[in-house]
């Protein structure tokens, strides 16, 4: 399998794990130091930062996630042990633009270490 395909599979697994509230899969694809950074997260002004534990707990509790989204990979870029993936996501309620950083971890698997996203309700102008 090519490096690009491995990265694409991890990015897809991340999105689908959120869509399906699959915290076990998230444990696999997220680096131990994973962070989400979001501007105007869930309608709150400013920037919100969640670590891996907070993110997974929010998925587990149904605070977010659990809704299917259409995903388009707009760009994958990588060099040796680092990669970035730009995603566009659409759910029934929201539109997302997500930039994701991945690293090749010590177990020789690609893992998401950083997700920065803007989420807009579709009824916002």
């Amino acid at each position: 399998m090519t490096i690009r395909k491995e990265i694409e599979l991890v990015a897809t697994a991340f999105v689908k794990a959120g869509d399906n509230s699959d915290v076990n899969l998230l444990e696999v694809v997220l680096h131990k130091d994973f962070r989400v950074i979001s501007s105007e997260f869930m309608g709150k002004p400013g920037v919100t930062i969640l670590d891996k534990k907070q993110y997974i707990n929010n998925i587990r509790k149904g605070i977010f996630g659990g809704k299917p989204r259409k995903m388009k990979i707009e760009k994958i870029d990588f060099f040796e042990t680092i990669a970035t993936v730009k995603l566009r996501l659409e759910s029934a309620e929201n539109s997302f633009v997500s930039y994701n950083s991945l690293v090749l971890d010590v177990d020789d698997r690609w893992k998401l270490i950083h997700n920065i996203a803007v989420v807009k309700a579709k009824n916002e102008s």
Side-chain angles (χ1 to χ4, degrees):
M1 181 179 321
T2 66
I3 292 172
R4 180 176 299 280
K5 186 65 175 173
E6 289 177 21
I7 292 165
E8 181 181 325
L9 287 174
V10 171
T12 301
F14 169 62
V15 171
K16 296 304 175 194
D19 292 356
N20 298 320
S21 300
D22 186 342
V23 295
N24 294 321
L25 182 53
L26 287 171
E27 288 287 357
V28 172
V29 300
L30 301 181
H31 187 274
K32 67 180 181 65
D33 295 317
F34 173 78
R35 298 284 184 275
V36 172
I37 301 171
S38 184
S39 177
E40 298 179 13
F41 180 71
M42 298 185 75
K44 292 186 345 190
V47 173
T48 300
I49 300 173
L50 302 173
D51 65 17
K52 180 179 179 177
K53 182 179 177 181
Q54 292 168 309
Y55 182 79
I56 289 176
N57 282 338
N58 284 346
I59 295 283
R60 184 178 284 119
K61 292 176 183 176
I63 294 171
F64 52 77
K67 296 181 181 176
R69 296 172 290 178
K70 293 180 185 175
M71 180 186 85
K72 178 181 179 191
I73 296 176
E74 291 202 341
K75 183 174 183 176
I76 295 176
D77 193 17
F78 62 90
F79 179 75
E80 294 185 2
T81 60
I82 59 173
T84 60
V85 179
K86 180 183 178 186
L87 303 172
R88 283 199 185 268
L89 304 162
E90 295 281 333
S91 72
E93 298 87 18
N94 298 306
S95 298
F96 307 71
V97 174
S98 174
Y99 289 84
N100 301 274
S101 300
L102 293 85
V103 293
L104 189 61
D105 208 355
V106 294
D107 62 1
D108 207 32
R109 292 179 182 218
W110 287 97
K111 295 188 181 170
L112 269 96
I113 195 163
H114 181 251
N115 167 269
I116 187 166
V118 173
V119 181
K120 295 285 186 184
K122 286 187 173 179
N123 61 1
E124 291 181 17
S125 53

